[in-house]
Amino acid sequence: PILAQQYNTSVANVERNMRYVIEKAFLQGNSQMLDKLFHNLVHYDNGKVTNTEFIQSCTDYLNSQLT
């Protein structure tokens, strides 16, 4: 809700755009990097991760790069 308020949009729009980015990343992204970030989180029914898993994995990766 905070991000949606900050950019004067709805929570539904934020979530939809996140799903779009995840979809594009898994269709057109660097497969080696995707495996590095999400190696054990990919759901076999749709081949992607959830919004929460995406955020957590990216955060973990970025934190590991800063230390």
Side-chain angles (χ1 to χ4, degrees), residues 3-17:
L3 188 61
Q5 289 173 348
Q6 183 177 351
Y7 290 97
N8 197 31
T9 190
S10 69
V11 172
N13 282 340
V14 172
E15 290 184 10
R16 183 178 60 242
N17 285 318

Side-chain angles (χ1 to χ4, degrees), residues 6-61:
Q6 183 177 351
Y7 290 97
N8 197 31
T9 190
S10 69
V11 172
N13 282 340
V14 172
E15 290 184 10
R16 183 178 60 242
N17 285 318
M18 287 182 64
R19 287 190 303 273
Y20 177 78
V21 167
I22 293 168
E23 176 80 22
K24 288 296 182 185
F26 277 84
L27 288 175
Q28 300 173 353
N30 179 321
S31 59
Q32 291 178 336
M33 178 58 83
L34 291 170
D35 186 54
K36 186 175 186 177
L37 290 172
F38 310 110
H39 60 92
N40 61 345
L41 296 175
V42 175
H43 297 274
Y44 293 102
D45 58 337
N46 64 9
K48 296 176 279 195
V49 295
T50 66
N51 290 357
T52 301
E53 291 166 336
F54 183 84
I55 291 169
Q56 185 64 51
S57 294
C58 290
T59 301
D60 290 346
Y61 177 76

